[in-house]
Amino acid sequence: MKSLRTASNHWLQQVKKTVISHRGQQVVNQGLRWHLDYPSLECPPWLNQNGWVVQGWVLLPPSLSKSMEDVRVIACWNSVFELCHPLSLERPDVIETVLGEDPAKHPQLRCGFRFTVPRQLTTCTLELCVNGERIPLPIVSMPELPDSDGAEVAPLKVLEGKANWLFLDNDTNGSVDQYRGRLLLTDEGVKGWQRYLKDFRTLAEKHGADSAVLVAPAKESVMGPRYHPYAEGAGGPIQQLLALPEAQVLVYPVQALMALGDDAFIQTDTHWTQRGAMAASKVLAAALGLDEWAVENTFVDDEYGERSLTGDLGSKLKPERTCRINSLRTFNYHQYRCFDNGLPNFGRLIVLANGKALMPGTCLIFGSSSSYSMFNYVSRLFKRVVFVHSAGNLDPEVVKAVQPEFLVAQTNARFVVQVPRASCSLQALIAEKKACLSEEEIMMVAKRRIDVETHNPIISSLGLSPWIVT
């Protein structure tokens, strides 16, 4: 924000004392006025596909009218992150009714705000931010809806950009707001990441493992400047994370992906392409100390062929949208799976063993969905790869049992608003997942599961027998 040098500390202190009502009681003695249109007990509930609409306006004293662009309305319902929205709507009705002035070219014409918060919320807090000073407003309560009313149809969570590129919309991590620089980590969120990164480094050093935390860049960060319908903001949670002193352990391969152009991400999916996964694997390998020439040479003869893919975004449209992708056709990691419990997402445990890999050691990865497309590459870099689907959450007991030469935590940039834990239980994740499987998921698990005996030589040498459950 630009500095509001014309605002005295005395004025800010007085404003804090006079902003007293979320129902619009106008504060005139210090020149600040504000009103919340929605949600309100006086108006019908406004709930759209994206959630509850929060709308209102703010007027500054005339002497500060040129500083309207510096005002932020902050909404918070989570201790780790918060939404920070500028005054972006023109409100001629406010200028005419409240100020009794001509709205044409009025310096405070753009005094309105409108955004949404998740529909599951019952309350959230609002604050005004002026010159770095935060002015608390009363808690906002969402109205109750009769059973017959309620939300519109469930959101598709797909945003169509230029040239048919699809992006995630209205997800629980606020991907669009992150990209636009309107969702930021709170001080608590930043401190949580600092603790996690310190604990990760300590755990790796305890077991003598070369280590890195790989953060898969969001599709928006790489493809957004060319294809996203919204302009990219000045910063977001990933920029806050990269600015930390503890960020030395982070691997964020955004430049390597940008160098691939349109081959970095899938047009109808949130994930990177296989070439994108290869680029990320190379950057990760370099961070882990592998010889860059040897790594490059490992993949030099790879061949790719075109195929059609619907993707996790294209499948949400009616009719479904497909695109053409380049798929690796000269190598498939599936032949090296020696164990796979087949569980969907969290709790999945996979062991890959390739005696012809570049490095003789074991790489233990606590990863997310972006790790799967890396298997074709990391399985050729490390003799053994142990993968735990935990989105970066660490199980020290698994690390102790495996004793890996290389330790990797992998998460996605859009997940940065969810600080991972440095101590979780894989056994608990497995038990929780198995307890809530649907019949369809049970059939899927049975199809892709690869079982071994608990005394299997590879499993025994990795110390994984306690997690090999049927």
Side-chain angles (χ1 to χ4, degrees), residues 182-201:
R182 295 181 174 181
L183 191 153
L184 298 170
L185 294 172
T186 62
D187 288 343
E188 182 174 333
V190 170
K191 291 177 182 177
W193 268 105
Q194 288 180 303
R195 288 192 298 269
Y196 171 81
L197 294 175
K198 289 178 181 177
D199 290 344
F200 174 82
R201 181 184 289 274

Side-chain angles (χ1 to χ4, degrees), residues 343-347 428-445:
L343 292 176
N345 300 318
F346 275 62
L429 288 177
I430 293 173
E432 291 170 7
K433 179 64 69 172
K434 292 182 68 176
C436 63
L437 290 176
S438 65
E439 291 186 8
E440 182 180 356
E441 288 173 328
I442 291 174
M443 294 176 61
M444 177 188 66
V445 168

Side-chain angles (χ1 to χ4, degrees), residues 56 65 71 77-78 100-101 103 107 117 128 140 156 225 242 244 266 292 313 317 388 400 410 450 460:
S65 60
V71 177
W77 61 91
N78 185 297
E101 299 177 17
V117 296
L128 295 180
V140 175
L156 294 176
L242 293 172
L244 295 177
I266 301 170
E292 294 186 35
L313 296 176
L317 298 179
V388 176
K400 180 180 178 180
Q410 186 275 309
I450 295 179
S460 296

Side-chain angles (χ1 to χ4, degrees), residues 129-141:
C129 185
V130 182
N131 195 29
E133 293 279 348
R134 297 169 71 113
I135 305 165
L137 306 180
I139 294 175
V140 175
S141 297

Side-chain angles (χ1 to χ4, degrees), residues 31 40 45 54 58 77 84 90 110 175-176 212 245 269-270 276 300 305 316 340 351-352 355 359 427 457:
S40 169
V54 179
V58 176
W77 61 91
C84 305
E90 293 186 352
R110 192 179 295 273
S175 293
V176 174
D269 197 278
T270 56
V300 70
K316 297 181 186 298
D340 186 348
V351 179
L352 309 175
M359 302 297 293
Q427 285 185 330

Side-chain angles (χ1 to χ4, degrees), residues 299-317:
F299 310 134
V300 70
D301 294 326
D302 285 356
E303 296 180 5
Y304 294 78
E306 271 201 0
R307 67 180 180 89
S308 179
L309 180 72
T310 301
D312 58 8
L313 296 176
S315 64
K316 297 181 186 298
L317 298 179

